[in-house]
Amino acid sequence: MCLLSQPVTDPVLIFAISMVIFLLAPLVMEKLRIPGIIGLILSGVVIGPNGFGLLDRDPTIILLGTVGLLYIIFIAGLEIDLDGFKKYRSRSLVFGTLSFTIPFLLGLIATYLYGYTLGAAILLGSLLGSHTLLAYPIASRLGISKNKAVTTAVGGTIMTDTLALLVLAVVAGATQGELTANFWFVLIVSLGLYVAAIFIVIPLVATFFFRTFASEGSLEYVFVMTMLFVAAFFATVIGLEPIIGAFLAGLALNRFILEQGALMNRIKFIGNSIFIPFFLLSVGMLMDLRILFNDPSAWIMAAIVVVLVITGKFLAAWVSGKIFHYSTEEIKLIFGLSIPQAAATLAATLVGFDLGLFDQATVNGVIVMILITCIIGPYTVEKFSRIIAVKEEQRPYEPNTAPERVIVPVANPQTMASLLDLAFIVRGQSPQPLYVLAVAQAGSGEAQARLAQAEKLLENAVAYASGAEVPVQMLTRADTNVTRGMMRALEESRITTAVIGWNGKLSTPQKIFGGILDNLLESSTQMIMVAKLGHSLNTTRRIVILIPAGFDHKPGYYEAVRHAKQLANQVGATIACFVIKDSAAGYEESFKEIRPNVQVSWQQLSSWNEWHETYMPLLRRDDIVVVFSARRGTVAWHPQLESLPRMLAHSGPESFIMFYPPEPEPVDLRGTRGTAVPRTVLGKKSYE
């Protein structure tokens, strides 16, 4: 009967439904190339009391949503780069002030004239002034996190969020009393004492705690949560909103919690998995689609806030850019970073609704604005980050002095010999042994038999390598997840390059190579060379290299060139380079810097379409096609790079190698919408 009644009241079933949504919504949004935050809000709209009525916004949802609200503001305080703010404080202060003030004034004037009360207009203007760095991970993974435009936008976040929360505190206090001199005196004095206590007491307590109990992982997390909720509670005691306490607690603990540390990972993991999704779900439940369809004022409100936030944020970016002499691309990048509205905006909207300042139409309009800005921001940052990354000075050639550690996972006896031959060339004269890996999938009764089979395969590989007088280090791993087993081997042996074979078969069209290899590319930072070798390497007469636009700005560019030239030199082949949608002159110069010397010809192509239609049919059977590829979302990535392996597997040449150069840090795809898929023009596919 519980399953049939609506809304669901069984707490276990409520939690189960929520978990299913938290699992599926981000996956669906990823397929649509839309930030996952939007999927969770829309899910709340669909299943909430104003949708199908499956779940009610009952005390359970409100409790977990409130925790998520405090959590997201707390993490914002923890993640703020205080050192970066100090370094670029003049630029950040100017931009932060403009980025808050211009949208705030536009919102205040427009909504007050539209008929809102002064308090509601002030609060609505303040939430337009804040922003969330939803798209910052895009700029980071494209290698421009140190760009002056990015540091300006990131530092300005402190100003916008702090000012927005202060306005929220004043408005919330004013709704419960009058704006008298006594009110301002009590607010200023109590706020001053409260802030002083936060920044004096919490650091002292944190210093003592982390010195005494630093090794207690779970206890550290409980301590941090204690500081968060105690600070949030005392904010309510002095008449402030609890989110202000959460934000200040995050700032006070900022230097105690390392960004890449285990404690920060626990905080983000639990927050992103449980509490923050509940907050987004609860916000979606506030939206009533019937009002959007039946009340024109809701659409008018949505249009007003969307136009105001876009206009205000762009003006702030433009004025700041002109003051500090930023390029047009950098101005648009600042706009893209500062346009998304999420954390502080959602918080202020929820508080305004609870205080009775906002009606349902306003909430709907703000949520529509959040959805639109969360699409505009990542798209803009993705586009102009790539332009800025390519325009920045190319990395100088620095010969790699670190020892080359090459690993070869072996699984297929038929292709093992050719794969090892390629690995011998890649290893070169490295003093390190060649690491040969066999991974057996554990978790079943056949695990022992699989390990024995893997060890036998390794013995054959050692025997083959001994003929070439190449020292070999055998590695075996047993894991329920093959990708995880490979990653453990790469990390434990400090591997720099992995040479991996591919049979050309693909289980699903959405994959590049298949589940295991695709997951390895997403999880690793080492150079990965995926090879399909259909003929003996020593019969190769020509190596055809495909170079996508911007590849010379990747950190592993010179290593990829060195390996390709080394391969050509060893097999006595010439090189034919095809540079797609980029200038060939720069690549030609950099190729000359790298030994060994090999005969190289150059061809500059205007589009991927030209390669597919004109040059790909001319490939010979004894060619090896080398594709200088890139991991998804990084500089030089293009959708065509993901479909090329399938095309090459069914084309004339029997052999090809996909080069994925190393990345300085794991690729972070948070906030991205991805890049547009190939367009269809006049009935045929375009590869522009």
Side-chain angles (χ1 to χ4, degrees):
M1 292 297 293
C2 181
L3 287 173
L4 299 177
S5 61
Q6 288 188 351
V8 173
T9 56
D10 184 346
V12 176
L13 185 54
I14 291 174
F15 208 83
I17 293 172
S18 301
M19 289 299 103
V20 170
I21 292 172
F22 300 164
L23 174 66
L24 297 181
L27 295 177
V28 173
M29 291 298 105
E30 182 181 357
K31 295 298 182 183
L32 299 175
R33 305 192 178 192
I34 297 174
I37 181 178
I38 295 177
L40 294 171
I41 295 175
L42 291 178
S43 298
V45 176
V46 173
I47 69 166
N50 300 315
F52 290 107
L54 183 61
L55 295 183
D56 194 9
R57 199 167 182 272
D58 61 8
T60 302
I61 298 293
I62 293 175
L63 170 63
L64 295 171
T66 302
V67 173
L69 168 62
L70 298 178
Y71 219 103
I72 198 169
I73 295 295
F74 176 67
I75 291 178
L78 287 180
E79 288 189 325
I80 284 177
D81 184 4
L82 296 178
D83 292 331
F85 178 74
K86 292 175 184 177
K87 186 176 181 180
Y88 299 100
R89 57 180 175 270
S90 59
R91 296 181 179 183
S92 297
L93 286 170
V94 171
F95 170 71
T97 302
L98 292 172
S99 186
F100 176 81
T101 305
I102 295 176
F104 171 71
L105 292 177
L106 290 176
L108 168 62
I109 295 170
T111 53
Y112 184 72
L113 294 176
Y114 186 66
Y116 278 77
T117 63
L118 180 60
I122 292 174
L123 184 57
L124 196 51
S126 70
L127 65 86
L128 295 181
S130 66
H131 65 258
T132 299
L133 292 173
L134 181 73
Y136 172 75
I138 300 173
S140 177
R141 65 174 161 76
L142 288 173
I144 61 168
S145 59
K146 303 301 182 183
N147 181 276
K148 56 188 178 182
V150 177
T151 56
T152 299
V154 172
T157 305
I158 297 181
M159 287 291 298
T160 59
D161 288 1
T162 302
L163 290 172
L165 292 176
L166 285 176
V167 171
L168 176 61
V170 172
V171 173
T175 58
Q176 301 166 5
E178 298 180 359
L179 292 178
T180 61
N182 183 59
F183 166 81
W184 288 108
F185 176 77
V186 172
L187 176 65
I188 293 172
V189 172
S190 60
L191 181 61
L193 293 174
Y194 176 72
V195 171
I198 289 288
F199 287 105
I200 294 174
V201 175
I202 288 184
L204 288 175
V205 175
T207 300
F208 169 78
F209 179 86
F210 287 115
R211 284 177 179 172
T212 309
F213 305 101
S215 61
E216 301 292 336
S218 60
L219 202 60
E220 287 181 345
Y221 178 78
V222 174
F223 168 76
V224 171
M225 291 298 99
T226 302
M227 295 296 100
L228 161 60
F229 290 103
V230 168
F233 170 74
F234 277 103
T236 63
V237 171
I238 65 169
L240 300 176
E241 287 300 313
I243 59 174
I244 296 173
F247 183 69
L248 294 177
L251 289 177
L253 290 171
N254 186 288
R255 68 183 183 89
F256 293 96
I257 302 176
L258 301 178
E259 174 63 25
Q260 304 300 328
L263 180 55
M264 178 66 90
N265 183 62
R266 293 189 188 100
I267 293 170
K268 289 184 177 180
F269 177 80
I270 297 175
N272 293 332
S273 301
I274 303 293
F275 297 124
I276 294 175
F278 266 112
F279 167 63
L280 298 173
L281 195 70
S282 69
V283 169
M285 289 181 175
L286 293 175
M287 190 171 183
D288 190 347
L289 292 177
R290 290 170 296 185
I291 292 180
L292 279 178
F293 292 123
N294 299 327
D295 186 0
S297 65
W299 288 108
I300 296 173
M301 191 63 230
I304 289 174
V305 292
V306 168
V307 171
L308 290 176
V309 74
I310 292 175
T311 303
K313 292 297 183 180
F314 184 80
L315 284 175
W318 184 79
V319 173
S320 300
K322 293 303 179 183
I323 292 174
F324 299 113
H325 307 291
Y326 291 169
S327 67
T328 302
E329 290 80 11
E330 288 172 331
I331 291 174
K332 292 178 181 178
L333 175 60
I334 294 176
F335 166 72
L337 287 169
S338 60
I339 187 66
Q341 306 289 306
T345 306
L346 287 171
T349 303
L350 190 61
V351 172
F353 182 77
D354 292 338
L355 292 173
L357 294 173
F358 296 159
D359 57 13
Q360 197 75 52
T362 305
V363 173
N364 285 359
V366 171
I367 292 178
V368 170
M369 180 264 289
I370 290 171
L371 300 182
I372 293 174
T373 57
C374 285
I375 293 174
I376 293 175
Y379 174 82
T380 305
V381 173
E382 180 94 34
K383 179 178 180 180
F384 292 101
S385 291
R386 290 182 179 277
I387 296 174
I388 292 171
V390 171
K391 282 188 174 182
E392 286 184 347
E393 185 177 354
Q394 183 184 356
R395 299 170 184 266
Y397 174 49
E398 298 177 359
N400 187 13
T401 57
E404 186 85 45
R405 291 194 174 192
V406 180
I407 194 169
V408 183
V410 292
N412 188 346
Q414 282 73 36
T415 60
M416 183 182 68
S418 58
L419 199 62
L420 286 172
D421 287 338
L422 176 61
F424 297 158
I425 295 173
V426 173
R427 174 180 171 272
Q429 301 300 317
S430 173
Q432 300 293 323
L434 178 67
Y435 292 81
V436 183
L437 169 68
V439 180
Q441 191 163 14
S444 67
E446 302 176 358
Q448 293 299 323
R450 290 174 179 170
L451 279 174
Q453 185 179 6
E455 289 174 354
K456 184 177 180 180
L457 195 59
L458 287 180
E459 291 173 0
N460 294 336
V462 171
Y464 185 84
S466 64
E469 298 184 350
V470 175
V472 170
Q473 176 72 47
M474 293 194 301
L475 302 174
T476 57
R477 293 290 183 273
D479 204 305
T480 53
N481 184 290
V482 175
T483 303
R484 188 165 55 226
M486 296 173 70
M487 279 301 303
R488 282 198 296 121
L490 265 63
E491 292 169 357
E492 292 168 3
S493 301
R494 293 179 294 161
I495 299 299
T496 59
T497 304
V499 180
I500 305 174
W502 185 51
N503 59 10
K505 297 178 181 178
L506 195 64
S507 56
T508 57
Q510 289 78 20
K511 300 291 184 181
I512 307 174
F513 301 105
I516 294 175
L517 277 179
D518 287 0
N519 290 336
L520 183 66
L521 283 173
E522 292 177 4
S523 307
S524 64
T525 58
Q526 294 86 352
M527 173 175 278
I528 305 292
M529 299 169 63
V530 181
K532 180 184 180 297
L533 301 175
H535 68 267
S536 178
L537 289 176
N538 57 13
T539 64
T540 304
R541 295 292 172 262
R542 184 178 66 159
I543 294 177
V544 178
I545 302 180
L546 296 183
I547 307 177
F551 190 83
D552 56 344
H553 285 69
K554 294 195 69 64
Y557 166 64
Y558 289 103
E559 287 304 303
V561 173
R562 182 175 65 84
H563 285 308
K565 295 186 73 172
Q566 196 168 295
L567 174 61
N569 182 65
Q570 289 291 318
V571 302
T574 61
I575 292 179
C577 287
F578 292 84
V579 181
I580 302 174
K581 300 182 68 175
D582 208 344
S583 172
Y587 291 96
E588 189 171 356
E589 288 299 318
S590 59
F591 260 64
K592 293 177 182 178
E593 300 178 34
I594 303 169
R595 295 180 182 275
N597 294 323
V598 181
Q599 181 182 342
V600 183
S601 63
W602 293 91
Q603 185 70 41
Q604 184 172 312
L605 307 184
S606 60
S607 68
W608 284 96
N609 202 40
E610 186 178 356
W611 159 256
H612 286 289
E613 294 185 355
T614 305
Y615 293 97
M616 190 170 174
L618 301 179
L619 293 173
R620 312 163 193 158
R621 292 189 63 185
D622 56 358
D623 287 342
I624 288 182
V625 179
V626 171
V627 181
F628 285 178
S629 190
R631 288 170 170 86
R632 173 179 289 198
T634 62
V635 174
W637 180 82
H638 189 279
Q640 279 300 302
L641 294 173
E642 297 195 352
S643 59
L644 266 179
R646 293 194 293 274
M647 296 181 180
L648 292 172
H650 299 91
S651 64
E654 297 175 333
S655 304
F656 66 88
I657 308 171
M658 303 290 293
F659 278 44
Y660 293 89
E663 297 294 337
E665 58 187 23
V667 177
D668 190 347
L669 287 173
R670 291 179 301 168
T672 183
R673 293 183 67 248
T675 303
V677 296
R679 300 183 298 274
T680 300
V681 181
L682 298 179
K684 75 174 182 178
K685 185 175 284 187
S686 169
Y687 299 97
E688 296 294 331

